[in-house]
């Protein structure tokens, strides 16, 4: 019997995990998924973990358990390099909390490797970002933010002085986080002393945007609706605010203005994961993402494919690489799940094509707004319950692909009828 084809997937995020789940279980493929952490958190909901407005226990899934359920192998470790000539991926030694080596450096060999290591928020060389601002790039950042947020809310409640949270960047991460924090603030009101609606304010929320308008690149109708909702939530939006310096409790702009800030969140843009520059012999674009062809193959090594936020992918006919979204990562996972088995047997493979299904922004208690693309029609603005349902549907589709049709349906049903369905607040520490 011929040996199974070994496919190594680096990174179990929105794209990598969907691909692993879809390729697993085939008789001709051995799938190994590698991630530095033990559980998958669907990144579009990271701001909800940070704000404590987690809306589904299923948002966090153990790679070990899922590997067992779907039939892939999970290897925990930090990817540090690809040895192209050996067709091997290098994982750093794993150490315990005292620095003792648990596992020495590992080399895992492959026939095909898929890089899905995501991206990070760049600081654009702004003074003080690394030291004094929070960037929501992973689970650890969201958890650290949540702990700080809780401490500031407790202090605001006991002193009567509202905490200042300033978010820099008015993209989806910034606007969604602000709305979810406003929702979480309610949990700290003293309901025993005040009638609903009479509680003193505990939180000042400001979004600073360097561009002349909110959410640059968004459709004007969506932007207007968003601004209306943010104003109703008492979230201040300041545009044309170019940040030059961040200090412990202050933010300075190029025009000499300054803003007090107890917690500063830096949510300005996204570039490729810095490891990509040292990973192997790849060509990168100016945002640090690996250049790929229309089959998502790296332009320098036919055995290495790249997807999601790590890839600079310009589909045929497009004039710029796709922006970093879970939507693109998911469509690329579906494409590679079909394409790789064909590549293995030298069958012809079609180009990857992207279908933009729109843009949705979740504003916690204030609902959701978005533009959705309908086939053969202009995009339409949606809001209210329909938009909220559409936003939830994005995650449901992800769960479905990751868990499979049967377990996916059961899990989604259980989630919907759970007594804690709705947006429960996860505001406990630890
Ligand atoms: C707050 C927020 C809201 C968003 N909302 C939306 C939205 O509404 N709609 C939408 O389409 N997109 C949204 N996005 C964007 C979306 O989350 C990303 O585009 C998507 O997750 C990219 O998927 P990925 O598989 O490329 O990477 P990721 O999902 O980032 O996964 C990367 C994985 O690689 C692992 N990893 C990284 N480095 C290493 C290493 N050296 N070794 C081992 N493992 C490593 C990480 O642990 C992680 O599991 C949002 C993003 C954020 C932060």
């Amino acid at each position: 019997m011929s040996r199974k084809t070994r496919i190594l997937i680096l990174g179990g995020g929105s794209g990598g995990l969907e691909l692993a789940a879809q390729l697993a279980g085939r008789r001709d493929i051995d799938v190994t998924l590698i991630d530095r952490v033990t559980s998958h958190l669907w990144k579009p909901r990271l701001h909800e973990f940070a704000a404590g407005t987690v809306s589904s226990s299923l948002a966090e899934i153990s790679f070990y358990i899922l590997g067992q359920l779907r039939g892939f192998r999970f290897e925990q470790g930090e990817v540090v390099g690809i040895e192209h000539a050996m067709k091997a991926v290098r994982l750093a030694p794993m150490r315990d909390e005292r620095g003792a080596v648990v596992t020495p450096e590992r080399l895992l060999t492959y026939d095909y490797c898929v890089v899905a290591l995501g991206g990070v928020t760049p600081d654009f060389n702004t003074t003080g970002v690394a030291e004094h601002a929070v960037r929501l790039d992973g689970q650890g950042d969201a958890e650290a933010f949540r702990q700080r947020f809780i401490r500031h809310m407790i202090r605001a409640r006991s002193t009567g002085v509202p905490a200042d949270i300033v978010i820099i960047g008015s993209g989806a991460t910034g606007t969604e986080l602000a709305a979810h924090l406003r929702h979480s603030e309610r949990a700290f009101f003293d309901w025993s002393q005040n009638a609903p609606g009479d509680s003193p304010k505990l939180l000042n929320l400001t979004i600073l945007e360097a561009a002349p308008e909110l959410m640059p690149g968004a459709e004007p109708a969506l932007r207007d609706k968003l601004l209306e909702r943010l104003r109703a939530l008492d979230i201040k939006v300041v545009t044309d605010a170019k940040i030059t310096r961040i200090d412990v409790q202050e933010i300075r702009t190029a025009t000499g203005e300054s803003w007090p800030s107890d917690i500063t969140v830096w949510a300005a843009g996204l570039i490729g994961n810095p490891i990509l520059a040292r990973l192997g012999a790849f060509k990168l674009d100016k945002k640090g993402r690996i250049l790929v062809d229309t089959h998502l193959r790296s332009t320098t090594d036919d055995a290495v494919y790249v997807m999601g936020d790590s890839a600079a992918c310009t589909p045929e006919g497009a004039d710029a690489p796709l922006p970093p979204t879970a939507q693109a990562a998911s469509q690329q996972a579906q494409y590679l799940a079909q394409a790789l088995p064909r590549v293995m047997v030298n069958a012809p493979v079609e180009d990857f094509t992207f279908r933009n299904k729109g843009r949705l922004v979740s504003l916690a208690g204030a609902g959701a707004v978005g533009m959705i693309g309908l086939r053969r029609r202009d995009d339409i603005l949606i809001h209210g319950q329909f938009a909220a349902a559409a936003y939830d549907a994005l995650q449901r589709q992800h769960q479905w692909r990751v868990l499979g049709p049967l377990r996916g349906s059961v899990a989604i049903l259980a989630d919907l009828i759970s007594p804690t369905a709705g947006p429960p607040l996860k505001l406990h520490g630890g």
Side-chain angles (χ1 to χ4, degrees):
M1 206 178 86
S2 59
R3 173 175 73 72
K4 286 186 177 189
T5 302
R6 293 158 305 172
I7 298 185
L8 274 189
I9 301 170
L10 317 185
S14 306
L17 184 60
E18 283 194 18
L19 178 62
Q22 288 174 80
L23 285 176
R26 286 181 61 112
R27 285 163 182 240
D28 51 348
I29 304 179
D30 220 344
V31 181
T32 301
L33 177 70
I34 301 169
D35 206 291
R36 53 154 76 117
V37 294
T38 53
S39 60
H40 165 79
L41 192 66
W42 195 53
K43 208 172 168 189
R45 295 222 122 136
L46 200 58
H47 59 287
E48 296 180 27
F49 276 80
T53 54
V54 176
S55 61
S56 167
S57 56
L58 283 169
E60 201 171 356
I61 305 172
S62 156
F63 289 125
Y64 286 106
I65 293 175
L66 202 67
Q68 198 186 340
L69 290 176
R70 298 304 306 265
F72 63 81
R73 177 179 142 95
F74 174 62
E75 192 80 39
Q76 190 185 354
E78 181 83 20
V79 173
V80 287
I82 293 180
E83 305 295 338
H84 297 274
M86 289 166 67
K87 285 195 159 188
V89 169
R90 195 177 289 282
L91 302 187
M94 190 185 275
R95 297 174 187 277
D96 68 14
E97 54 288 353
R98 285 169 293 137
V101 174
V102 177
T103 320
E105 183 179 87
R106 282 162 286 170
L107 263 186
L108 306 181
T109 51
Y110 60 79
D111 296 302
Y112 296 98
C113 173
V114 182
V115 179
L117 294 170
V120 299
T121 317
D123 65 8
F124 301 112
N125 295 323
T126 311
T127 309
V129 174
E131 299 82 1
H132 307 304
V134 176
R135 283 181 274 188
L136 286 185
D137 286 332
Q139 298 180 27
D141 305 320
E143 181 57 27
F145 175 90
R146 194 165 61 88
Q147 300 296 339
R148 273 182 77 183
F149 171 65
I150 291 170
R151 285 196 295 275
H152 278 286
M153 287 295 91
I154 293 168
R155 196 175 67 185
R157 185 156 81 165
S158 66
T159 61
V161 181
D164 290 301
I165 297 189
V166 180
I167 298 167
I168 296 160
S170 70
T173 304
T175 46
E176 291 187 337
L177 177 66
H180 281 262
L181 290 173
R182 181 62 81 215
H183 187 69
S184 290
E185 177 194 24
R186 297 159 48 86
F188 296 91
F189 288 159
D190 189 348
W191 298 99
S192 67
Q193 300 295 319
N194 300 293
D198 287 348
S199 292
K201 189 173 168 183
L202 300 176
L203 187 55
N204 295 322
L205 283 163
T206 307
I207 298 175
L208 301 181
E209 169 57 58
E213 59 210 9
L214 180 84
M215 200 175 269
E219 300 75 1
L222 173 63
R223 193 180 299 133
D224 291 349
K225 195 70 178 169
L226 256 180
L227 257 180
E228 178 194 309
R229 294 281 168 104
L230 293 175
R231 283 200 188 111
L233 290 169
D234 191 18
I235 295 167
K236 194 176 199 167
V237 177
V238 181
T239 51
D240 279 320
K242 295 189 179 56
I243 310 305
T244 49
R245 185 183 180 88
I246 295 180
D247 285 315
V248 188
Q249 284 189 305
E250 192 185 43
I251 296 164
R252 287 170 191 272
T253 67
T255 51
E257 280 174 294
S258 76
W259 301 85
S261 180
D262 294 306
I263 309 181
T264 303
V265 181
W266 184 263
L270 200 102
I271 56 170
N273 187 331
I275 184 66
L276 301 179
R278 315 184 288 274
L279 195 64
F282 296 111
K283 284 196 177 134
L284 307 185
D285 75 346
K286 60 180 192 308
K287 290 190 173 174
R289 299 170 296 184
I290 297 174
L291 288 169
V292 295
D293 64 15
T294 49
H295 290 175
L296 305 183
R297 223 171 10 194
S298 78
T299 53
T300 52
D301 183 343
D302 279 359
V304 180
Y305 288 71
V306 191
M307 64 187 295
D309 292 357
S310 292
C313 165
T314 309
E316 198 61 49
D319 48 14
L322 292 175
T325 62
Q327 193 188 152
S330 174
Q331 290 185 30
Q332 291 173 341
Q334 288 168 68
Y335 168 81
L336 286 177
Q338 302 296 321
L340 285 174
R342 296 183 65 80
V343 171
M344 282 160 39
V345 295
N346 291 320
V349 175
E350 287 183 2
D351 287 345
F352 167 72
T353 50
F354 175 68
R355 183 172 165 245
N356 187 357
K357 294 183 181 161
R359 185 200 305 259
L360 286 160
V361 183
S362 144
L363 301 173
V369 292
M371 300 295 295
I372 56 165
L374 301 175
R375 280 183 199 274
R376 290 188 289 279
R377 290 226 210 126
D378 288 342
D379 289 357
I380 56 160
L381 177 72
I382 57 167
H383 51 95
Q385 293 212 329
F386 184 50
Y391 190 88
D392 274 348
L394 286 177
Q395 189 183 4
R396 303 279 176 225
Q397 283 167 9
H398 174 68
Q399 287 172 344
W400 179 282
R401 289 193 193 105
V402 163
L403 295 171
L406 183 62
R407 286 192 191 88
S409 313
V410 173
I412 289 165
L413 189 65
D415 205 25
L416 289 172
I417 60 174
S418 141
T420 58
L425 295 179
K426 187 194 176 196
L427 290 172
H428 47 83

